[in-house]
Amino acid sequence: MAPRKIIIDTDPGQDDAVAILLALASPEEVDVLGITAVAGNVPLPLTQKNARIVCELAGKTETRVFAGCDTPIARKLITAEHVHGKTGLDGPTLPDPTMPLQEQHGVDFIIDTLRSEPTGTVTLCPLGPLTNIAVALERAPDIAERIQEIVLMGGAYFEVGNISPAAEFNIYVDPEAAKIVFNCGAPITVMPLDVTHKALVTSARNNAFRAIGTPVGIAVAEMTDFFERFDKEKYGSAGAPLHDPCVTAYLIKPDLFTGRHINVEIETGSDLTLGMTVADWWGVTDRPANATFMGEIDADGFFALLTERLARL
Ligand SMILES: [Ca+2]
């Protein structure tokens, strides 16, 4: 089978970095047409730079990286340096990138790619706030029916919030964008906190990354070490949740995940629950299903895949 063509839309972020590395290490399954950066964990000048740092770490300097939107559609940007550090990639010491940033705007790249590739052959993989995808859909509504699938990290239901009591960070930062994306009609698969909080980097899993012994393996161990400090203090958990790699793992091995095809609506009106993903898990409304909302992950299988693939870089 030909590899699936994907665009990774991202705000690196240590877990974004691991998601990108997993994709770049898996050319049999995924063909990364380009990476579009968005403002999120840290501002856009850092996320576009971090995306290039990660491609260089992977030795994939031919990967095209584009800068997209630097602010949410209708709100001021909220960032997460408290989780990811000042650079967004705190942990390892990685050199500044020498590969160029593409001149085209990330939103234009998304639109042009969906229009030029055959209908139903390009999958979008948002790992940050959904601004770039929503702006593309608003500017070019014809692309919605050309999207094969949108596989995104965002939202939460039973785990509720990580940035507010009710909302997950990516959706909270740009809820208007999320609403546009969830209503666009394309097939959507969601990796919410319900799943990613089960993908914890325990010390044994971190040691397995380090034991790869390559620059990639060591950098990933150092990134997850850094990331973990925050989560252990906050949740007292066994290790840092690897949110974004769930998206790229799903493209490689979908049977690691199970969920339900349900209706998911985005709260944009309430100050109290802004950015909440209201997931009709129990089917108590007759609102039409618009997303496959994942709930379970085979965490051991996920980390086995990750360790095996990272060792290829
Ligand atoms: Ca992210």
Side-chain angles (χ1 to χ4, degrees):
M1 226 169 66
R4 227 169 134 164
K5 289 180 278 194
I6 69 169
I7 296 173
I8 300 177
D9 186 72
T10 177
D11 63 337
Q14 291 90 346
D15 60 319
D16 301 73
V18 180
I20 293 167
L21 292 169
L22 176 59
L24 293 176
S26 306
E28 292 89 355
E29 291 92 357
V30 290
D31 176 7
V32 182
L33 300 178
I35 296 177
T36 52
V38 69
N41 288 325
V42 286
L44 183 68
L46 287 171
T47 59
Q48 59 89 349
K49 179 182 163 193
N50 290 345
R52 289 181 292 139
I53 288 174
V54 173
C55 291
E56 290 197 0
L57 174 65
K60 306 281 184 186
T61 51
E62 70 284 5
T63 311
R64 292 183 296 169
V65 175
F66 303 81
C69 299
D70 62 359
T71 46
I73 288 179
R75 293 171 196 273
K76 250 185 82 184
L77 177 66
I78 295 160
T79 52
E81 284 88 354
H82 61 292
V83 183
H84 301 276
K86 231 186 214 101
T87 67
L89 276 189
D90 280 21
T93 306
L94 297 169
D96 277 350
T98 56
M99 62 183 275
L101 180 68
Q102 299 295 311
E103 278 178 22
Q104 191 179 25
H105 193 283
V107 169
D108 294 323
F109 171 72
I110 292 168
I111 294 171
D112 287 359
T113 304
L114 283 163
R115 282 179 174 165
S116 62
E117 297 287 338
T119 294
T121 64
V122 175
T123 294
L124 303 180
C125 303
L127 310 176
L130 290 160
T131 318
N132 285 343
I133 313 299
V135 171
L137 286 163
E138 289 279 272
R139 203 178 288 168
D142 57 289
I143 62 173
E145 61 180 32
R146 306 184 67 86
I147 298 169
Q148 180 177 17
E149 186 176 359
I150 299 172
V151 184
L152 67 92
M153 191 278 136
Y157 194 61
F158 296 100
E159 286 279 318
V160 284
N162 63 354
I163 185 75
S164 83
E168 178 279 331
F169 178 81
N170 288 344
I171 308 294
Y172 182 80
V173 171
D174 199 342
E176 284 75 19
K179 192 176 190 108
I180 291 166
V181 170
F182 276 81
N183 288 334
C184 79
I188 297 177
T189 296
V190 184
M191 296 294 169
L193 297 182
D194 306 84
V195 164
T196 68
H197 280 179
K198 292 168 186 152
L200 301 176
V201 188
T202 59
S203 56
R205 288 165 178 167
N206 186 287
N207 289 341
F209 292 147
R210 202 176 301 270
I212 296 170
T214 59
V216 167
I218 292 164
V220 167
E222 289 174 349
M223 282 190 239
T224 51
D225 265 346
F226 181 87
F227 204 43
E228 186 174 82
R229 267 182 256 165
F230 167 79
D231 287 289
K232 270 199 173 150
E233 277 172 30
K234 184 170 179 186
Y235 302 110
S237 58
L242 268 189
H243 306 284
D244 295 340
C246 291
V247 168
T248 40
Y250 170 79
L251 297 173
I252 298 163
K253 228 177 164 185
D255 56 5
L256 291 172
F257 302 90
T258 53
R260 293 186 184 182
H261 189 55
I262 58 171
N263 176 269
V264 180
E265 301 291 336
I266 311 297
E267 177 59 59
T268 57
S270 157
D271 285 343
L272 187 63
T273 56
L274 184 70
M276 187 173 190
T277 45
V278 179
D280 189 5
W281 186 261
W282 303 112
V284 294
T285 73
D286 53 10
R287 295 195 285 257
N290 59 344
T292 300
F293 203 80
M294 293 302 182
E296 293 296 332
I297 177 175
D298 168 3
D300 286 335
F302 170 75
F303 280 96
L305 173 73
L306 204 46
T307 308
E308 180 241 320
R309 294 302 166 100
L310 293 177
R312 295 181 179 185
L313 291 173

